[in-house]
Amino acid sequence: LGAAAALDFAGEHPVQRVVLVAPFTTLREVAARLFSKPASYLLIENYDNRSSVQELAKREPPPSITILHGTADNLIPTTMGRELAASAPGIARFIPFEGATHDTIVSAAWQQLIDEISRP
């Protein structure tokens, strides 16, 4: 699942762990970065991952959230993944993968991804 879809699912179901790969803060912020701020307001959906992470953090008990992000991602900047992790201190952690791009993050982070979803 994409990060926004996974967070939407997690928001509707009890989960213990969320693993996000190269997530954005909001779709509108990505569109503003790639196109222009005025063009970003043409979007019908915003997919606000920041709000979704903050809502998950309010659960009792909250799920653990791991964010894997490539440092050379030219589509979704690493700063967005870091910001999502910072929006849920204590439950979210950010793991950068040096040199990984948006296209190579899954292969670069494969073992960490398997470890995260396999943790008891």
Side-chain angles (χ1 to χ4, degrees):
L1 296 175
L7 284 170
D8 187 50
F9 177 86
E12 301 289 324
H13 298 85
V15 295
Q16 295 176 337
R17 182 177 310 111
V18 176
V19 180
L20 303 173
V21 179
F24 53 78
T25 48
T26 72
L27 186 59
R28 187 158 284 123
E29 289 170 356
V30 171
R33 181 180 175 276
L34 295 175
F35 305 107
S36 70
K37 190 168 185 172
S40 73
Y41 288 100
L42 297 173
L43 293 171
I44 294 170
E45 298 289 341
N46 185 30
Y47 299 113
D48 187 343
N49 291 339
R50 186 185 300 111
S51 292
S52 296
V53 165
Q54 291 169 346
E55 286 301 312
L56 286 174
K58 294 177 185 175
R59 287 188 179 174
E60 200 51 52
S64 68
I65 300 171
T66 302
I67 297 172
L68 312 173
H69 212 127
T71 61
D73 192 323
N74 58 1
L75 185 61
I76 310 295
T78 306
T79 55
M80 289 190 175
R82 286 185 193 282
E83 184 181 330
L84 284 179
S87 72
I91 67 162
R93 64 189 177 123
F94 179 83
I95 303 173
F97 284 83
E98 193 62 40
T101 67
H102 201 75
D103 295 331
T104 64
I105 182 62
V106 172
S107 59
W110 185 252
Q111 189 56 56
Q112 183 76 41
L113 184 58
I114 296 301
D115 292 347
E116 291 298 324
I117 62 175
S118 301
R119 245 181 334 116

